[in-house]
Amino acid sequence: PDEDEQQVFDTINSLGVKLTTAELLKNYLFTRENVQQYSQVWEDVFEKDAATRAYWDMEVEAGRFKRSLIDLFLDAYFQILIREPSRNVSANDLTLYARTDRLARSYQDFVKKYCGGDKNVILDELKVYADLFRKNIDPEWCNKSIPAQYGIERLNVIMFGLKNTTPIPYLLFIEKNVTSEEEQIEMYRVLESYLMRRMVVSASTKNYNNLFISLTKNRVTDHTALIRELSARTDKSTIGIPDDDKLRDGFQNSFLYNVESKGILYLIESAIRPKESAVSLLGFRSYSLEHLMPKKWRNNWELNPSTPETQKERDRKLLTLGNLAIITQSLNASIRDSKWEKKKNPQPFKGKERPGLVNCANGLETMLNVLDKEVWDEQEITARADWLYEQAAKLWAI
């Protein structure tokens, strides 16, 4: 009865089993003296039933690593706490506390140095923010049809489909501090537009963590102030909002990762399809990215252009957004590299049909009129890139 159960726990678990941030924090925050508080603030929130545990234990890709949702939450919540102006956390400690590999120790150091040892500073709003996180942050939106209207559902696709979870602290801050639903939606519109415009032009994401934390620290709670803050950025990695000229150039010339191209096309598709469309929008993860003119065009397409310089230009052009499409399933390799007419239409194979683009892309608004083209070349790629730009400029207007 006289032994320190926390010390026993730490000693036993220092023998090679790596503890999660949640396990370490639970052990730090709760003792026999606050069992009731543990039940209300932790157990009911994170361990209530199997579905609750499954949600918080879900692992997602966050940057270069996989992290559980509870770990993402505890990190986001901590970043909000340490930016409270009344705490006056030093710049050196803010840098130290940004390290995810020592999050549990950072919590303890923060309580000791800036809260007079009072753990209730952590516990007071833990449940509030955890409930907001679970209500709004859901990787399963990548598997479901998202609405055309701006909102948290579309941002979930950006965070988990396009692997950019840095906005989470600011999204939690908005959900807690912006009471007007209309204002929230406007802020989400601005955030989507900022992130996607920068993605199209291949802008850096290096300092997004600091950017979204600064918006929280500066208590940016309306879309006008948000636009002003984003437009005023001066550091090279987050500078400004790309204008329409840069956006057009991005659609014509950017070379993007496949997942980025897929995300850009998917978010445009979800927004421009008519409500009465007979074709249902699937979840982000249900689509594949296809090069309309294949990378291996030399195998079956005419060697036109014929000079090395013009062939090199074709190799460049086919990697840009005007030549890319989302389709409902990957084409067989024998169809993927076929000449245009054959690639469009289903092909017989051992008594069956291998689907072509007509099967996998018909009804998609981002493929409007593409399948009617008799030829597909650099001129058509340029024209489609311009058309996609026009849709994006309206969708992501700021």
Side-chain angles (χ1 to χ4, degrees):
D2 299 325
E3 290 184 339
D4 183 339
E5 68 272 19
Q6 290 182 311
Q7 184 61 48
V8 172
F9 178 83
D10 288 341
T11 302
I12 292 174
N13 284 283
S14 66
L15 304 178
V17 178
K18 185 174 181 179
L19 298 172
T20 66
T21 299
E23 288 168 332
L24 291 167
L25 277 180
K26 181 168 68 170
N27 177 55
Y28 168 67
L29 293 170
F30 303 104
T31 66
R32 297 169 188 166
E33 282 70 41
N34 60 348
V35 172
Q36 184 64 31
Q37 194 176 29
Y38 159 73
S39 177
Q40 295 173 346
V41 176
W42 191 279
E43 188 174 35
D44 283 355
V45 175
F46 302 117
E47 302 171 356
K48 185 176 182 179
D49 50 38
T52 300
R53 290 192 295 271
Y55 170 80
W56 289 110
D57 289 342
M58 189 187 311
E59 287 195 335
V60 296
E61 287 188 47
R64 295 171 294 158
F65 306 102
K66 280 196 170 186
R67 300 177 69 185
S68 65
L69 289 187
I70 192 171
D71 193 45
L72 280 179
F73 163 69
L74 291 169
D75 189 10
Y77 178 54
F78 187 55
Q79 297 310 314
I80 294 171
L81 281 176
I82 63 177
R83 260 77 181 186
E84 282 288 337
S86 61
R87 297 293 166 197
N88 293 316
V89 178
S90 71
N92 286 340
D93 280 340
L94 288 175
T95 301
L96 181 67
Y97 295 164
R99 288 177 49 183
T100 58
D101 62 336
R102 51 159 291 134
L103 184 56
R105 280 182 289 161
S106 292
Y107 262 95
Q108 295 177 41
D109 190 68
F110 170 69
V111 169
K112 180 180 178 181
K113 290 174 67 173
Y114 296 99
C115 308
D118 184 6
K119 298 176 186 178
N120 285 317
V121 171
I122 306 296
L123 297 174
D124 282 346
E125 292 191 304
L126 182 70
K127 185 179 188 304
V128 173
Y129 275 103
D131 287 343
L132 288 173
F133 187 101
R134 189 171 182 188
K135 177 183 175 183
N136 295 284
I137 309 301
D138 186 5
E140 284 303 307
W141 277 111
C142 292
N143 298 317
K144 298 184 288 188
S145 176
I146 61 170
Q149 296 76 27
Y150 305 103
I152 198 73
E153 301 87 354
R154 296 172 65 85
L155 287 169
N156 269 285
V157 171
I158 295 173
M159 290 188 293
F160 298 110
L162 306 185
K163 302 176 177 60
N164 180 10
T165 57
T166 54
I168 288 178
Y170 186 53
L171 295 182
L172 292 181
F173 175 82
I174 291 173
E175 286 293 327
K176 185 173 185 295
N177 295 283
V178 180
T179 56
S180 165
E181 185 176 351
E182 291 78 11
E183 187 59 49
Q184 283 186 359
I185 290 171
E186 276 297 290
M187 296 182 77
Y188 292 152
R189 176 187 67 80
V190 173
L191 287 172
E192 178 181 333
S193 299
Y194 174 79
L195 291 167
M196 297 312 295
R197 278 177 175 262
R198 289 178 58 81
M199 185 172 291
V200 171
V201 304
S202 299
S204 172
T205 63
K206 182 180 178 182
N207 281 335
Y208 274 3
N209 268 319
N210 291 334
L211 165 66
F212 291 113
I213 288 301
S214 74
L215 296 174
T216 302
K217 180 181 178 181
N218 296 338
R219 304 193 68 79
V220 178
T221 55
D222 67 81
H223 74 281
T224 304
L226 178 57
I227 293 172
R228 186 169 60 248
E229 287 274 341
L230 294 175
S231 301
R233 301 294 297 184
T234 56
D235 55 286
K236 290 182 180 180
S237 57
T238 54
I239 188 168
I241 302 169
D243 61 22
D244 283 358
D245 288 339
K246 290 187 176 67
L247 188 67
R248 182 191 292 272
D249 183 71
F251 273 94
Q252 289 289 355
N253 297 302
S254 289
F255 303 144
L256 304 174
Y257 292 114
N258 282 353
V259 70
E260 293 175 329
S261 298
K262 178 180 164 184
I264 290 164
L265 293 169
Y266 179 77
L267 287 169
I268 294 175
E269 177 69 38
S270 67
I272 67 174
R273 59 175 42 235
K275 292 180 180 179
E276 65 275 10
S277 175
V279 178
S280 297
L281 179 72
L282 305 177
F284 172 77
R285 292 192 177 120
S286 296
Y287 292 96
S288 298
L289 188 72
E290 182 68 27
H291 290 74
L292 299 176
M293 179 188 291
K295 292 180 181 180
K296 298 179 181 179
W297 61 271
R298 291 173 179 81
N299 291 347
N300 296 299
W301 292 49
E302 293 181 9
L303 283 175
N304 182 22
S306 57
T307 67
E309 291 77 15
T310 51
Q311 288 187 22
K312 186 176 180 180
E313 173 59 17
R314 170 172 281 191
D315 288 334
R316 186 197 71 80
K317 198 72 176 174
L318 67 84
L319 297 175
T320 60
L321 283 160
N323 189 54
L324 300 175
I326 54 171
I327 59 177
T328 53
Q329 67 181 87
S330 297
L331 298 180
N332 182 274
S334 64
I335 305 296
R336 185 183 306 129
D337 296 335
S338 298
K339 57 186 179 181
W340 180 237
E341 192 60 35
K342 184 177 180 182
K343 182 171 185 173
K344 288 194 296 182
N345 298 301
Q347 301 297 318
F349 179 77
K350 295 183 178 181
K352 300 180 179 180
E353 280 191 344
R354 282 181 170 165
L357 287 173
V358 167
N359 308 83
C360 303
N362 208 7
L364 291 170
E365 292 297 309
T366 46
M367 288 290 284
L368 187 67
N369 299 326
V370 169
L371 299 178
D372 296 331
K373 305 292 183 182
E374 293 185 6
V375 297
W376 189 257
D377 56 18
E378 291 85 340
Q379 185 176 345
E380 295 293 353
I381 293 172
T382 297
R384 181 165 176 266
D386 270 340
W387 181 83
L388 287 170
Y389 153 75
E390 290 168 3
Q391 314 312 308
K394 289 183 286 187
L395 172 61
W396 298 320
I398 295 185

